[in-house]
Amino acid sequence: MATPTYTKSGSKATTTAKLSKSVFGVEVKNHDLMKQAYIMYLANGRENLSKTLKRGEVRGGGKKPWKQKGTGRARFGSSRVPIWRGGGITFGPLGKENYSKDMTKNAKRKAIRQALSVNQKNIIVVESFECKEGKTSEAVTLLNKIGATRNVLLVVNNKDEMVIRATQNIKDVVPVQAMYLNVHDILNADTIVVDKKSVAIIEEWLAEPVPSKKETK
């Protein structure tokens, strides 16, 4: 599968990169698998910040509001009971909830292969992405030359400090190391820029396992 290829300066390369059909051109049959991987990414990035106070944790309420008998009112031992305003919360979040999700290694890789295949037409290959001085202007110039617009996923073989510095102030550009590709970033990208070394890493990483002799019998 041939795809547009550019040099590190942004000019059109004389040769085109070939993407493996087994990784970038698979038939998408299981959309639910991609949805599971997408939700898993969001769930695992969720911060557990919600916490309510139970009756014993609310400040105050130590004194009995009124005497037990003779007032004609219902008996209460504290003003911090859950049915009173300002009281404790029953069955509220405690800050210990676990929202994380997981998938098998093979399922994750299959979902990423399908996501890359869905967005294959938006993949652009560059020979290399180098920002030796970490200047934002250099990264902006390169992305403009190759036509990478809107939401850009920049896949590099080494996400070092210079790459982060050059892209952190560019709106809608997400740099990611090749081995940390995920369905969420791939599906949300309008353009996926991949350097040549990352293409080789991705194809090796996501290659389908060869079935053993026992499985083929």
Side-chain angles (χ1 to χ4, degrees), residues 5-6 13 15-17 125-128 155 194-201:
T5 309
Y6 296 86
T15 58
T16 58
V125 176
V126 293
E127 290 182 349
S128 64
V155 185
V194 191
D195 63 26
K196 276 192 173 182
K197 288 184 179 179
S198 294
V199 172
I201 292 171

Side-chain angles (χ1 to χ4, degrees), residues 135-149:
K135 291 185 177 180
T136 303
S137 58
E138 295 177 0
V140 171
T141 301
L142 174 61
L143 294 176
N144 288 337
K145 280 186 177 182
I146 64 178
T149 57

